[in-house]
Amino acid sequence: MTSIAITGASGRMGRRLVCLAREAATFEIMGAVTQPGSASLGKDAGELAGVGQLGVPLTFDLKKTPQVLIDFTNPPAMRHWLKVCRDREIAMVIGTTGLHRADHAAIDVAAEVIPILQAPNMSLGMNLLIKLVGEVAARLGDDYDIEIMEAHHRFKKDAPSGSAVGLIDSILKSTSKERSVIAYGRHGDEAVRTRGQIGVHSLRVGDEVGLHTVSFGAVGERLEFTHRATNRDTFVHGALKAATWLAGQKPGRYTIADVLGLQA
């Protein structure tokens, strides 16, 4: 049994985390946190998630100390919970996106004290794709143009998505390229792609959960890899799997690739 706390517990991801953690019957939900002033404060987390009473009221702070805290909130809230976890020696799964370079530096520092698993996408399939596209890019070389397209719902704030950034980083690392080769969209009278360029395009459409396609194209053929999330439960399952795995780890910074054994 892994004891967990869930931040953003009144949101879409938070409610599904509560629901699927309850269904798994291998987790003890010790805390459900929402923002101060939320209309959900004091409500039972299980009832809010539609799984019946859990006896865990939503609070704005963390009363008990679980083994792992799962965070799907926003960058400012993540910074607060990172400090709480570091100070109270709680392992942390970070699914929050839109993080800045300073946030990653802070995560590195905290990971000297506690185990932290941070991933822009908790889907196991997506993380396998991130690994694969780097290997493909290294093998095909610059004779193949690379274009990345991602689509999400109309309410998503950051662009490109954290998952698209993960795809980009994998390709850059495997090909030893600098970020200067990235072209974010194209416009104008002189927009012909240059050799070795990586094109990145973001769509915000309706209620799209998450779609990522990486295209490798040469004269005469095109190879495409696509991952499509059909509902948010894929991210929830990944986060819960990560929490179970992380509970037994030493301090350090980890990714879903570690959980899957994909690291070189």
Side-chain angles (χ1 to χ4, degrees):
M1 188 75 71
T2 303
S3 61
I4 60 173
I6 298 164
T7 60
S10 61
R12 289 175 295 182
M13 282 296 294
R15 294 195 302 271
R16 292 307 294 163
L17 279 163
V18 170
C19 179
L20 296 186
R22 169 71 178 269
E23 285 183 6
T26 56
F27 296 94
E28 178 187 2
I29 301 175
M30 294 183 65
V33 181
T34 189
Q35 60 188 356
S38 170
S40 298
L41 281 172
K43 294 182 179 179
D44 186 89
E47 292 184 341
L48 190 65
V51 293
Q53 191 170 52
L54 289 178
V56 180
L58 269 77
T59 60
F60 64 84
D61 56 359
L62 187 60
K63 304 293 186 183
K64 298 180 180 179
T65 301
Q67 291 174 280
V68 184
L69 180 139
I70 303 175
D71 179 76
F72 281 89
T73 52
N74 54 60
M78 188 285 301
R79 293 165 197 144
H80 168 75
W81 294 114
L82 181 65
K83 184 179 186 304
V84 170
C85 287
R86 184 191 62 201
D87 292 346
R88 293 169 60 174
E89 297 187 354
I90 301 168
M92 188 173 184
V93 172
I94 301 174
T96 297
T97 60
L99 303 182
H100 301 288
R101 186 172 300 175
D103 294 320
H104 289 288
I107 292 171
D108 287 338
V109 172
E112 296 176 2
V113 180
I114 59 174
I116 299 176
L117 190 149
Q118 184 268 326
N121 189 310
M122 291 290 169
S123 158
L124 305 183
M126 186 68 206
N127 280 274
L128 179 58
L129 177 61
I130 289 172
K131 174 76 171 179
L132 290 175
V133 296
E135 295 176 353
V136 172
R139 287 183 176 273
L140 295 181
D142 285 345
D143 286 338
Y144 285 74
D145 304 326
I146 302 175
E147 298 283 319
I148 299 171
M149 186 280 291
E150 59 95 354
H152 285 84
H153 54 84
R154 65 177 64 169
F155 304 107
K156 186 169 178 61
K157 293 181 179 180
D158 54 313
S161 68
S163 302
V165 172
L167 293 166
I168 294 167
D169 288 344
S170 178
I171 293 170
L172 293 179
K173 182 178 179 180
S174 68
T175 57
S176 300
K177 293 180 182 292
E178 300 294 330
R179 304 196 80 83
S180 57
V181 304
I182 303 170
Y184 294 101
R186 294 186 180 88
H187 68 278
D189 297 329
E190 297 292 335
V192 177
R193 76 167 1 261
T194 59
R195 183 178 172 84
Q197 186 181 78
I198 300 173
V200 181
H201 313 276
S202 297
L203 307 181
R204 296 295 175 262
V205 185
D207 61 354
E208 177 65 59
V209 175
L211 171 66
H212 295 82
T213 296
V214 183
S215 299
F216 297 88
V219 175
E221 69 174 1
R222 185 166 69 199
L223 177 64
E224 291 187 336
F225 295 85
T226 293
H227 178 273
R228 184 164 209 157
T230 55
N231 66 60
R232 289 177 178 79
D233 284 3
T234 187
F235 311 128
V236 174
H237 284 300
L240 292 173
K241 185 179 181 71
T244 300
W245 182 87
L246 193 65
Q249 302 304 314
K250 297 178 181 179
R253 185 165 183 173
Y254 304 97
T255 69
I256 294 292
D258 294 299
V259 180
L260 297 176
L262 297 176
Q263 298 289 31

